[in-house]
């Protein structure tokens, strides 16, 4: 239809998780959506991506009624500037990286450790302060105290983070909007039986992500639970080679796998583990719970809200607690897995996200 409102949807070219493509699908039902990918590059080469984006916006921003951006970063800087110049509304979805800084695992953007990092932090601050709405995927990305991350370091204070911690006095309106999941896509067939196994998935491209996702803890837990299989998914080639010879015989390490294979592993495993140091609203645990996994995880960001009586939570980064929660989940009745599925379907459904997002965009564009 010619009179459809137009949305410019901006994301990183190399980031295509289901939660981002879901938003494209949702918005496309009601609006004309143009996708503008931002090609992230290392070091000074980022300038070429910024130049391309600047030229595109200079000649095309007037065509759009709303600018919708996934993550605050370099890619959000010019879109927010042009939105203000041309009196357009802009939305930034905050997933987590733009809400923290954890130097031990090189997580987050709010650091001035180098010139390039200072520029990046400036771009993020400007974007978040000047967009129309920020849509964090969990309330803890606004303000949060992380009591888990340093719980294994005597005398170290908890980590305070969240966007308001790094941008005091920010006036941009926050609208927490949980991610939504397709319960028909993530569904255990009746002919698949649960195994005595633990699965966990991430994107393990370096040592920092290996530790952030708690894979180090799971490999150690496997040594104490030799009769339980551990399946860790998402290694790139370099990190797979680095770790594959340093695990016990009950541990399987996998590269990044297609969704069909990931769902298959969710459906087989009795337990899904998410002992992360930091998260926003982790999708993998929600997807696994839809496949009737009993969840275990750390008391970090959105994880306790996701688990919420359907599994077991470790309050401290302690091997005693980690092993204990896994054992409880392995020995739990299978009815707990079915309860997990019902919980995600009720609170974090695709329909819930769709309704909330369409309601907001209609109010902006009416």
């Amino acid at each position: 239809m010619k009179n459809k409102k137009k949305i410019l949807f901006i994301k990183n070219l190399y980031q295509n998780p289901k939660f981002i493509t879901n938003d494209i699908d949702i918005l496309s039902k009601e609006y004309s959506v143009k996708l503008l990918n931002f090609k992230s590059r290392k070091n000074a080469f980022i300038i070429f991506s910024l130049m391309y984006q600047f030229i595109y916006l200079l000649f095309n921003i007037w065509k759009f009624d709303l600018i919708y951006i996934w993550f605050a970063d370099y890619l959000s800087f010019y879109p927010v500037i042009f939105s203000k110049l041309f009196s357009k509304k802009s939305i930034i979805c905050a997933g987590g990286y733009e809400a923290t800084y954890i130097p031990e695992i090189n997580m987050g953007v709010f650091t001035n450790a180098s010139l390039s990092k200072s520029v990046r932090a400036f771009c993020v601050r400007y974007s978040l302060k000047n967009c129309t709405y920020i849509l964090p995927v969990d309330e803890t990305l606004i303000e949060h105290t992380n009591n888990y991350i340093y719980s294994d370091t005597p005398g170290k204070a908890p980590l305070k983070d969240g966007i308001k911690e790094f941008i005091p006095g920010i006036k941009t309106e926050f609208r927490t909007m949980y991610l939504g999941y397709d319960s028909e896509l993530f569904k255990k067939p009746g002919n698949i039986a649960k195994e005595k196994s633990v699965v966990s998935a991430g994107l393990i491209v370096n040592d920092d992500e290996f530790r952030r996702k708690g894979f180090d803890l799971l490999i150690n837990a496997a040594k104490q639970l030799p009769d339980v299989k551990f399946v860790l998914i998402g290694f790139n080639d370099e990190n797979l080679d680095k770790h594959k010879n340093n695990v016990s015989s009950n541990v399987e390490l996998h590269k990044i796998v297609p969704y069909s294979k990931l769902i298959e592993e969710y459906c087989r495993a009795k337990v899904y583990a998410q002992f992360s140091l930091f998260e926003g609203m982790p999708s993998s645990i929600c997807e696994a719970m839809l496949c009737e996994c009993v969840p275990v995880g750390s008391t970090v960001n959105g994880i306790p809200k996701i688990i919420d009586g359907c599994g077991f939570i470790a309050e401290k980064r302690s091997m005693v607690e980690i092993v204990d929660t896994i054992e409880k989940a392995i020995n739990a009745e299978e009815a707990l897995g079915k309860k997990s599925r019902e919980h995600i379907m009720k609170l974090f459904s695709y329909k819930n996200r769709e309704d909330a997002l369409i309601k907001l965009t209609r109010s902006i564009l009416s």
Side-chain angles (χ1 to χ4, degrees):
M1 293 176 60
K2 289 184 179 180
N3 60 350
K4 269 190 175 182
K5 296 285 187 178
K6 295 181 179 179
I7 295 177
L8 181 61
F9 193 109
I10 298 171
K11 70 171 190 65
N12 188 314
L13 173 66
Y14 304 111
Q15 292 178 334
N16 296 290
K18 202 75 178 157
F19 60 82
I20 292 181
T21 59
N22 280 350
D23 281 1
I24 296 173
D25 294 339
I26 288 168
L27 293 171
S28 296
K29 292 178 182 179
E30 189 147 333
Y31 307 103
S32 175
V33 178
K34 165 66 178 177
L35 179 62
L36 180 63
N37 280 309
F38 183 88
K39 190 172 183 179
S40 60
R41 304 168 190 253
K42 291 184 178 181
N43 302 323
F45 290 106
I46 194 77
I47 293 171
F48 295 106
S49 295
L50 289 166
M51 286 174 59
Y52 174 82
Q53 190 188 58
F54 179 91
I55 293 169
Y56 180 88
L57 292 168
L58 181 64
F59 290 100
N60 294 281
I61 187 73
W62 61 271
K63 299 176 183 177
F64 300 100
D65 302 290
L66 174 66
I67 313 303
Y68 191 92
I69 310 160
W70 250 106
F71 302 121
D73 208 329
Y74 292 114
L75 76 135
S76 60
F77 181 63
Y78 281 142
V80 170
I81 287 179
F82 275 92
S83 295
K84 287 180 71 69
L85 288 174
F86 285 82
S87 300
K88 305 290 183 180
K89 303 293 186 182
S90 59
I91 291 173
I92 294 178
C93 297
Y97 200 78
E98 60 279 87
T100 194
Y101 179 59
I102 308 170
E104 293 87 350
I105 55 170
N106 195 33
M107 176 72 190
V109 297
F110 292 107
T111 173
N112 297 319
S114 66
L115 178 60
S116 62
K117 290 179 178 179
S118 297
V119 171
R120 189 180 189 188
F122 172 80
C123 290
V124 171
R125 283 192 173 92
Y126 179 89
S127 299
L128 293 172
K129 288 171 70 174
N130 290 279
C131 64
T132 312
Y133 290 99
I134 301 170
L135 307 188
V137 297
D138 191 76
E139 293 91 345
T140 59
L141 299 183
I142 304 173
E143 290 181 286
H144 182 236
T145 299
N146 186 333
N147 292 300
Y148 174 85
I149 185 169
Y150 300 133
S151 59
D152 59 343
T153 307
K156 189 152 188 175
L159 173 73
K160 290 186 178 295
D161 60 7
I163 291 170
K164 287 187 175 181
E165 177 71 19
F166 295 100
I167 312 177
I170 185 171
K171 294 181 172 58
T172 310
E173 184 171 345
F174 290 88
R175 294 280 187 94
T176 300
M177 196 172 291
Y178 303 130
L179 300 175
Y181 304 93
D182 184 348
S183 60
E184 290 303 308
L185 176 62
F186 299 99
K187 185 177 183 179
K188 185 179 84 67
N191 63 343
I192 293 183
K194 287 291 185 180
E195 299 176 354
K196 193 176 183 180
S197 63
V198 177
V199 66
S200 192
L203 183 59
I204 311 303
V205 296
N206 53 47
D207 290 341
D208 292 329
E209 279 300 289
F210 179 80
R211 186 162 178 260
R212 182 175 78 85
K213 287 293 184 180
F215 276 24
D216 55 335
L217 300 178
L218 292 173
I219 287 173
N220 285 331
K223 295 173 184 176
Q224 299 184 43
L225 298 168
D227 60 336
V228 178
K229 182 169 75 171
F230 286 72
V231 181
L232 308 183
I233 301 170
F235 289 83
N236 66 1
D237 290 337
E238 179 185 347
N239 281 272
L240 184 66
D241 290 340
K242 181 175 182 178
H243 293 286
K244 66 183 180 182
N245 296 320
N246 299 315
V247 297
S248 51
S249 60
N250 59 328
V251 176
E252 292 181 7
L253 304 184
H254 294 268
K255 294 181 180 181
I256 299 164
V257 299
Y259 253 111
S260 57
K261 172 66 174 173
L262 190 60
I263 294 169
E264 186 180 313
E265 294 294 344
Y266 291 158
C267 291
R268 283 206 200 100
K270 175 74 179 288
V271 176
Y272 185 88
Q274 189 87 54
F275 294 111
S276 302
L277 293 171
F278 173 85
E279 289 286 353
M281 180 183 176
S283 287
S284 295
I285 190 171
C286 297
E287 296 164 355
M289 289 170 70
L290 284 173
C291 297
E292 301 181 25
C293 289
V294 177
V296 295
S298 53
T299 177
V300 165
N301 298 95
I303 296 174
K305 187 187 295 93
I306 291 167
I307 294 178
D308 193 26
C310 297
F312 305 93
I313 295 173
E315 298 286 340
K316 294 182 178 180
R317 197 170 187 272
S318 147
M319 284 311 304
V320 173
E321 285 203 34
I322 301 301
V323 171
D324 182 55
T325 56
I326 293 172
E327 285 185 312
K328 286 178 179 176
I330 285 289
N331 295 321
E333 296 291 331
E334 290 205 0
L336 195 55
K338 297 184 185 301
K339 181 182 177 182
S340 296
R341 175 174 170 80
E342 291 168 2
H343 173 63
I344 299 300
M345 288 176 66
K346 181 179 179 180
L347 293 185
F348 308 117
S349 70
Y350 182 96
K351 183 71 163 54
N352 287 355
R353 173 83 179 185
E354 180 177 27
D355 290 348
L357 188 52
I358 292 300
K359 181 180 180 180
L360 176 62
T361 52
R362 281 178 180 172
S363 70
I364 293 172
L365 297 175
S366 61

